[in-house]
Amino acid sequence: MKVLVINCGSSSLKYQLLNPETKELFAIGLCERIGIEGSKMEYEVPAKDFEITVTEPMPTHKEALALVINAITDKEHGVIASVDEIDAIGHRVVHGGEDFVKSVLITEEVIKGVEANNELAPLHNPANLIGIRTCQELMPGKPNVGVFDTAFHQTMPAEAFMYALPYEDYTELKVRKYGFHGTSHKFVSQECLRELGNPEHSKIIVCHLGNGASISAVKDGKCIDTSMGLTPLQGVMMGTRCGDIDPAAVLFIKGKRGLTDKEMDNRLNKQSGILGIFGKSSDCRDMENGVAEGDERAILAEKMFIYKIKAYVGNYAAQLGGVDAICFTGGIGENAAHIREAVVEGLEFMGIKINKEVNAVRKKGIVDLTAADSKTKIFKIPTNEELAIARDTYEIVSKK
């Protein structure tokens, strides 16, 4: 089985061709600056240690996908003889609203359903749909599957996803918590369950920590709460996003600074978080360097970041009624040993204790970070959203 995984942005197209059963990665790459001057395509064949960058005009996603197809079927450096070898195409779709609680085979009805949720993700859903339609046009007859960032979180109970706003804001405007990074949370929690021996009952907290960060509480394999909300702005402090704040603070700042709605949105989403506090960068590595140099704002940013994550871990431990395992994933979660240690520090009273020596050693793959006397397991589990998308695609297509 060969599945082409597509993640389409407004001016980009990420792709992977892989086997969901064996995890074999045939090709990986990215098309950037689609519709913008200076567009280019990166193409890599890991097995051959081959990579190339092609600079070529890509007025639309159609030209970008055509370049991808040409690359993977190239006689010299391609990985398949023709697109006939592609069994299915899996698409990342950001927002499924309440309409999509799991991955689905894409039909015209599904496309209309995604379009109906465009208002909830105006920058992402339309771009995701472009990728779907382009694949349908250039590879007619191939099954396409939509895998939604929000789907895994749709098992949350109403008391977790509802906001205490007038009820008609939910019924008429669809305003509620949806959550994001669902594909990653599902993948990591399932990997964790395997590490635990696939118990019938389980209580897992997944910390997906990167430039965008979210925490989820997973009970018996199903999400019961997650930190991101109507948009990815809610939750823990992130690289450039503010996370949880008093809504009145938004109105106060907007009025005092005379900002437009768009300017205030930009301030909350792109100028806040680690960047807003540290001031020099949104990158956790730069913040850590600043901490080492004694930069007071870097130290404050790091303390705030850790504090917010720990607050959610404690919250979800209470909602779950205990914790069997805490998983760290994402760029920060997988690589920042100091952050992992600091998040669980002080939680020994809950039976949570990390093995500091093991945690300090960088190692690939799943790593058990649990101290010998810890009642709760602690894992570093690399996320693989593309593999998760490919697996869902394979599962759906194989049932046809």
Side-chain angles (χ1 to χ4, degrees):
M1 167 71 73
K2 291 184 177 72
V3 174
L4 179 63
V5 174
I6 297 290
N7 181 351
C8 212
S10 58
S11 61
S12 65
L13 189 156
K14 296 179 183 177
Y15 64 93
Q16 287 191 19
L17 183 66
L18 67 159
N19 183 326
E21 298 172 284
T22 65
K23 301 183 184 180
E24 184 180 0
L25 178 60
F26 303 106
I28 182 173
L30 166 68
C31 296
E32 293 182 282
R33 300 181 64 83
I34 298 170
I36 305 170
E37 189 176 346
S39 54
K40 63 179 181 179
M41 180 194 73
E42 296 173 2
Y43 172 68
E44 181 182 351
V45 182
K48 297 179 180 178
D49 199 24
F50 172 82
E51 56 184 293
I52 190 173
T53 299
V54 178
T55 303
E56 194 166 320
M58 300 178 211
T60 70
H61 288 75
K62 183 177 180 179
E63 288 80 13
L65 187 59
L67 278 175
V68 172
I69 292 171
N70 288 339
I72 62 178
T73 58
D74 181 78
K75 288 185 178 180
E76 187 176 356
H77 298 297
V79 291
I80 54 176
S82 73
V83 292
D84 291 339
E85 292 185 43
I86 298 174
D87 296 288
I89 306 160
H91 296 266
R92 178 199 180 210
V93 182
V94 168
H95 219 304
E98 292 185 326
D99 301 305
F100 300 101
V101 299
K102 59 183 179 180
S103 302
V104 295
L105 186 70
I106 292 172
T107 61
E108 282 305 311
E109 186 179 354
V110 168
I111 288 175
K112 288 177 182 177
V114 174
E115 287 175 337
N117 289 298
N118 278 359
E119 278 190 334
L120 296 173
L123 297 179
H124 297 92
N125 273 27
N128 302 153
L129 286 167
I130 288 172
I132 291 168
R133 291 193 179 102
T134 303
C135 286
Q136 289 177 329
E137 181 182 352
L138 294 184
M139 291 177 281
K142 296 290 180 186
N144 288 263
V145 171
V147 181
F148 299 86
D149 276 11
T150 52
F152 182 61
H153 302 307
Q154 294 311 297
T155 51
M156 289 187 291
E159 61 268 27
F161 71 69
M162 285 293 293
Y163 293 130
L165 295 168
Y167 195 71
E168 58 267 26
D169 289 344
Y170 166 62
T171 57
E172 297 171 11
L173 303 179
K174 301 181 181 179
V175 175
R176 52 157 284 183
K177 177 190 283 191
Y178 290 99
F180 299 88
H181 294 147
T183 306
S184 175
H185 285 284
K186 179 183 177 182
F187 178 85
V188 171
S189 59
Q190 288 179 340
E191 292 289 296
C192 179
L193 281 172
R194 275 190 277 272
E195 292 295 315
L196 294 174
N198 291 311
E200 183 181 355
H201 298 292
S202 58
K203 301 168 183 178
I204 298 169
I205 295 174
V206 178
C207 300
H208 177 111
L209 308 179
N211 197 259
S214 60
I215 320 294
S216 67
V218 184
K219 189 172 186 176
D220 300 337
K222 294 181 178 180
C223 177
I224 65 164
D225 205 354
T226 190
S227 58
M228 285 181 167
L230 173 71
T231 74
L233 189 59
Q234 185 181 349
V236 299
M237 171 182 170
M238 306 174 217
T240 62
R241 296 181 185 132
C242 62
D244 296 333
I245 59 170
D246 182 348
V250 177
L251 300 177
F252 181 84
I253 295 168
K254 183 173 179 289
K256 285 289 186 181
R257 296 194 179 280
L259 302 176
T260 64
D261 289 346
K262 188 174 182 180
E263 288 170 336
M264 192 66 219
D265 182 76
N266 188 68
R267 191 175 187 85
L268 296 171
N269 275 288
K270 298 182 179 179
Q271 298 173 3
S272 300
I274 290 173
L275 175 63
I277 301 300
F278 177 30
K280 297 176 182 177
S281 171
S282 64
D283 194 304
C284 181
R285 292 166 294 189
D286 294 333
M287 178 181 71
E288 293 298 293
N289 290 336
V291 170
E293 294 166 2
D295 186 308
E296 291 187 3
R297 286 176 57 176
I299 294 169
L300 175 60
E302 182 193 64
K303 286 183 176 180
M304 288 175 64
F305 184 59
I306 293 165
Y307 182 90
K308 303 295 184 183
I309 298 166
K310 186 179 293 189
Y312 269 98
V313 170
N315 177 1
Y316 290 163
Q319 299 302 334
L320 288 165
V323 192
D324 295 321
I326 297 174
C327 306
F328 290 95
T329 192
I332 297 172
E334 292 170 32
N335 297 300
H338 172 64
I339 298 293
R340 292 194 299 260
E341 182 179 329
V343 167
V344 299
E345 185 180 7
L347 300 182
E348 292 82 4
F349 73 98
M350 294 170 58
I352 301 170
K353 192 172 181 182
I354 198 167
N355 186 319
K356 295 182 180 180
E357 290 73 24
V358 174
N359 182 57
V361 178
R362 181 167 290 193
K363 188 178 178 182
K364 290 185 178 180
I366 297 175
V367 181
D368 188 338
L369 306 173
T370 317
D373 55 346
S374 177
K375 295 179 181 179
T376 297
K377 285 284 188 179
I378 304 172
F379 295 106
K380 184 210 77 170
I381 301 180
T383 191
N384 192 332
E385 293 176 80
E386 289 76 18
L387 177 59
I389 291 171
R391 282 176 173 172
D392 275 17
T393 301
Y394 168 70
E395 185 178 348
I396 289 170
V397 171
S398 61
K399 291 178 181 177
K400 283 184 65 183

